Amino acid sequence: MTLDPENWGDLRAAGHRMLDEMFDYLAHLRDQPVWREMPPEVRGHFKTGALPQAPQAIDEVYQEFAQYVLPYAGGNLHPAFMGWVQGGGTPAGMLAEMLAGALNANLGGRDHAPVAVEQQVAAWMRQLFRFPDAATGIFVTGTSQANLIAALIARGEALGLASRKSGAGAVKLRAYASAAAHSCIARAMDFAGLGSDALRLIPFDGRQRIDIAALEKTIAADRKTGAAPFMVVATAGTVDVGAIDDLKAVGAVCRAEKLWFHIDGAYGALGMLAEEIAPRLAGIEAADSIALDFHKWGQAPYDAGFILVRDGEKHKAAFATPAAYLRRETRGMAGGDFWPTDYGPDLSRGFRALKVWFTLKTYGAERMGRMIARTCELARYLEKQVRALPELELLAPADLSIVCFRYRASDAANAEIVADLHCSGIAAPSLTTIGGKRAIRCAIFNHRTEERDIDALLEAVLRFGKARA
Ligand SMILES: *Cc1c(COP(=O)(O)O)cnc(C)c1O
């Protein structure tokens, strides 16, 4: 009862058509709106219909995809997409996804080349961050998961291995991050069984970097009340404005206080690839663990998060379990010296590594670095234009590749301007709040973005702003 075709020739032709059309799609992104709202007919299309019982030609299924899915995708491939923190993907990444799908590899463990590919990417990350050979790393869905893994390792380190069986007991563990840190860190505390209140949010300075004196004070105050500080999460590239905490200073606090030093580098860690950004990440090499996302600045297709841990033994101690069914043999397929399942919560795992391996090899680290630096240059261009326009007020300058500003009108008008931009398909910034004011937030992560996209955005902001004010 095989699901392979009787006639590979027909399938081959259908496959080639899909591939050609996807190349055309990628080659002409700028001719399309950034985003289209799904009309009721399209929305309704996915809400009706029973479980498909009879088979259908793959061509027909593809036609349905081309008509109902493709035109209404999230927009993050488009050069004028500037919302949230999202990468644009690449043709190399797309092809690697196809190859990974063809291999259908399960990277939980065992002895096969896909695991070796993942470990080669881990070795590259050790080089990039100047981590020791004993450091370990695996792919995960994203930084939300990578931060959780770091919290679990740090929890084990603080409570001892027996706690994996007995739980945290009465110990009141406390973690620290700036108030500008990503919300997934509080969720990680929740998922780790510590409760999200275990995360103490520390005030930040005028550039949204963690206030080191306040951090030290809070740790001392917690110790006085009998709580047990166990980790500090520094952010390299905050979501709102792209601020980088003083990593050296946070590292020094962690060393002095004997706390786990984790860095949320979802956004900024890959700045290490860019000559002009790497110096600003000084201190990252001293972290106990780094979380990062290849699907942001790294431009790999979703999803591709990564966790790198300085002490591989501690990493393994937090996740490995003896299960007879997962017994390691010295020969044959059940061999293999590195089983990723020992380093994270997943057993079955896909071949995320391949798209990153392809991306880094196809474009090369140097070009990736220049692409990253270019997004920052474009942000500075946008900042300069905003400063020059009397209708606009700059709210957060381009620290990395994010600029926040507002049209000089009400908060509600600014929210409407952003919705107008989305619905017109001209550009897609997102909204945030800076210093109590609604801000139009432009995060430039897309390798396709050019000055003309920024010019088009500003022209539209002025036009919609005038109409709304
Ligand atoms: C995007 C982001 C996250 C969340 O990462 P996911 O990959 O979406 O899970 C966490 N922290 C920062 C700073 C981010 O930019």
Side-chain angles (χ1 to χ4, degrees), residues 129 236-238 244 264-272 277 281 284 297 400 445:
F129 296 106
T238 58
I244 303 172
D264 177 349
Y267 165 5
L270 288 178
M272 286 298 279
I277 299 170
L281 295 165
I284 199 169
W297 257 347
L400 284 175
F445 281 89

Side-chain angles (χ1 to χ4, degrees), residues 188-211:
M189 298 304 142
D190 166 12
F191 302 157
L194 308 175
S196 54
D197 284 351
L199 181 68
R200 312 280 258 122
L201 294 178
I202 308 298
F204 47 74
D205 67 14
R207 287 176 56 199
Q208 299 220 4
R209 293 169 310 184
I210 192 167
D211 179 335

Side-chain angles (χ1 to χ4, degrees), residues 88 111 115 131 140 205 240 250 267 361 371 377 386 452 464:
D111 196 21
V115 175
F131 265 41
V140 290
D205 67 14
D240 265 345
V250 175
Y267 165 5
K361 279 182 171 285
M371 174 273 297
E377 205 178 290
V386 168
R452 57 176 157 155
F464 293 135

Side-chain angles (χ1 to χ4, degrees), residues 237-291:
T238 58
V239 272
D240 265 345
V241 305
I244 303 172
D245 285 337
D246 183 338
L247 303 180
K248 277 191 168 161
V250 175
V253 171
C254 289
R255 264 191 311 281
E257 297 283 344
K258 298 198 167 39
L259 306 178
W260 189 270
F261 175 26
H262 176 66
I263 294 179
D264 177 349
Y267 165 5
L270 288 178
M272 286 298 279
L273 292 167
E275 258 176 42
E276 44 276 73
I277 299 170
R280 298 180 53 196
L281 295 165
I284 199 169
E285 70 288 344
D288 288 307
S289 51
I290 303 173

Side-chain angles (χ1 to χ4, degrees), residues 8 33 78 95 102 160 166 176-177 212 217-218 267 288 308 319-320 388 408:
W8 281 95
H78 197 282
L95 294 172
S166 59
Y176 306 83
I212 300 292
K217 245 168 110 182
T218 312
Y267 165 5
D288 288 307
L308 184 67
F319 291 98
R408 292 184 195 275

Side-chain angles (χ1 to χ4, degrees), residues 203-451:
F204 47 74
D205 67 14
R207 287 176 56 199
Q208 299 220 4
R209 293 169 310 184
I210 192 167
D211 179 335
I212 300 292
L215 170 65
E216 288 174 320
K217 245 168 110 182
T218 312
I219 292 170
D222 280 346
R223 287 204 198 282
K224 266 210 188 104
T225 65
F230 79 114
M231 99 187 279
V232 183
V233 182
T235 302
T238 58
V239 272
D240 265 345
V241 305
I244 303 172
D245 285 337
D246 183 338
L247 303 180
K248 277 191 168 161
V250 175
V253 171
C254 289
R255 264 191 311 281
E257 297 283 344
K258 298 198 167 39
L259 306 178
W260 189 270
F261 175 26
H262 176 66
I263 294 179
D264 177 349
Y267 165 5
L270 288 178
M272 286 298 279
L273 292 167
E275 258 176 42
E276 44 276 73
I277 299 170
R280 298 180 53 196
L281 295 165
I284 199 169
E285 70 288 344
D288 288 307
S289 51
I290 303 173
L292 65 112
D293 277 333
F294 288 103
H295 54 225
K296 290 175 176 168
W297 257 347
Q299 311 294 338
Y302 281 92
D303 44 32
F306 198 83
I307 175 77
L308 184 67
V309 181
R310 169 175 303 280
D311 184 333
E313 288 304 318
K314 288 179 184 169
H315 189 179
K316 190 171 183 178
F319 291 98
T321 42
Y325 147 83
L326 296 173
R327 224 178 92 140
R328 318 298 148 89
E329 306 297 342
T330 51
R331 280 184 345 114
M333 284 172 70
D337 53 6
F338 188 93
W339 285 42
T341 188
D342 292 340
Y343 297 86
D346 301 314
L347 176 53
S348 294
R349 305 168 65 247
F351 197 1
R352 291 191 184 97
L354 191 65
K355 57 200 173 191
V356 172
W357 193 78
F358 257 79
T359 303
L360 289 170
K361 279 182 171 285
T362 303
Y363 305 110
E366 196 206 302
R367 183 166 168 199
M368 293 296 288
R370 275 188 282 124
M371 174 273 297
I372 286 170
R374 174 73 183 144
T375 62
C376 297
E377 205 178 290
L378 285 166
R380 289 194 294 273
Y381 172 77
L382 170 57
E383 178 190 329
K384 199 172 129 215
Q385 308 298 313
V386 168
R387 284 187 193 277
L389 289 164
E391 297 92 333
L392 305 181
E393 178 190 357
L394 186 73
L395 293 178
D399 211 347
L400 284 175
S401 65
I402 299 179
V403 178
C404 297
F405 64 92
R406 63 188 280 276
Y407 191 88
R408 292 184 195 275
S410 66
D411 281 353
N414 277 280
E416 291 297 341
I417 292 168
V418 168
D420 287 343
L421 288 165
H422 293 178
C423 294
S424 67
I426 296 170
S430 51
L431 269 172
T432 191
T433 303
I434 306 271
K437 289 177 178 166
R438 286 298 254 175
I440 301 172
R441 177 178 164 287
C442 296
I444 300 169
F445 281 89
N446 193 302
H447 58 96
R448 303 182 174 100
T449 306
E450 295 176 6
E451 282 180 10

